[in-house]
Every structure is written in structure tokens, then in C-alpha cells.
Amino acid sequence: MILFSVAFLPQFVRPEAGPVAAQLVLLGVLFVAVQLTVDLALGVGAGRFARRWGDSRWSRRVDRLCAVAFVALGVRLAAG
């Protein structure tokens, strides 16, 4: 997060528009607010998805498919 702030946010600061520190704080607060909104939406969506598909035959099928894919990748890695 610090690396992002140091590398990305300063390009949006205009020294002629006012105090640089205040602009950086405002940009940081806006970034945190947007990120919090996105993270909350993803969390709520993942929770709903897990409740809907978590205890079903669909879940077992996905688990088996993942197991086959991991075994296939392991065999390929061991072979070559």
C-alpha cells in the first residue's frame, strides 16, 4: 500500500493547486474509500456465492475438477 501511494498518487498532485500534503491526504482518503467499497462488495458477493453453492453437488464437482487439474499439473511438472 505504501509503495502504491509513493509510486502512483504523486503524479496527480499539482503544487500550484495548494498544499501538496493536503492533496496527498485527500487522494489517500479517496483511494481508501473506493477500495473499501470494492472490498466490501467482493466480500458480500463471495459470501452469497458460498452460501448458494457451498453445500451442493456443484461444490463436489468443482473440487474434483480442481483435483484432476492439480494432479495433471503435477504429472506434467514431474515429467518435464
Side-chain angles (χ1 to χ4, degrees):
M1 195 62 197
I2 293 172
L3 182 62
F4 171 82
S5 298
V6 170
F8 188 68
L9 291 182
Q11 68 182 333
F12 297 105
V13 172
R14 294 189 347 217
E16 67 274 2
V20 172
Q23 290 182 51
L24 284 172
V25 168
L26 178 62
L27 288 171
V29 168
L30 288 173
F31 178 77
V32 168
V34 168
Q35 195 60 44
L36 180 64
T37 304
V38 169
D39 288 348
L40 285 172
L42 286 173
V44 168
R48 287 182 180 172
F49 182 80
R51 275 194 305 274
R52 183 170 184 168
W53 298 103
D55 296 327
S56 66
R57 289 182 293 178
W58 172 256
S59 177
R60 285 190 296 261
R61 289 179 185 162
V62 169
D63 288 344
R64 288 180 185 146
L65 180 65
C66 288
V68 169
F70 280 126
V71 168
L73 288 171
V75 168
R76 181 172 181 221
L77 182 63

